[in-house]
Amino acid sequence: WDDWPIAVSVLSTVIMMILTYSITDGIVFGVIFYCICMIGARRAREVSPVMYILAVIFILYLIVILGSVSTWVPPVDPGTAL
């Protein structure tokens, strides 16, 4: 718990796994939070470039997934519309 960027990313990973019912989504949020926390702690050079690339890919993944979910509208039968 002495290294707060790692503690925050681990805690966010566990919380998001519980909230999303998905290990994959929890790891996605953990990688993103790890990169953000390390930048915030001014320790960005300690993070591998691969982690930054993964964070960008995961952010794009979340945008695509959340964008497709939020724009989906169930079909309405014209006969049952008010």
Side-chain angles (χ1 to χ4, degrees):
W1 294 107
D2 295 332
D3 196 7
W4 73 267
I6 294 175
V8 168
S9 64
V10 168
L11 188 62
S12 68
T13 301
V14 172
I15 289 173
M16 292 309 290
M17 281 182 190
I18 293 168
L19 292 177
T20 62
Y21 296 105
S22 171
I23 294 172
T24 305
D25 290 341
I27 292 172
V28 165
F29 281 103
V31 168
I32 293 169
F33 284 134
Y34 176 73
C35 291
I36 291 171
C37 289
M38 290 298 278
I39 291 170
R42 303 199 191 287
R43 294 171 46 191
R45 291 183 183 221
E46 296 178 25
V47 179
S48 170
V50 174
M51 289 293 285
Y52 289 122
I53 293 168
L54 281 175
V56 169
I57 291 170
F58 289 157
I59 289 170
L60 294 173
Y61 164 78
L62 289 174
I63 290 171
V64 168
I65 293 300
L66 293 178
S68 65
V69 170
S70 64
T71 58
W72 183 78
V73 178
V76 177
D77 184 19
T80 61
L82 295 177

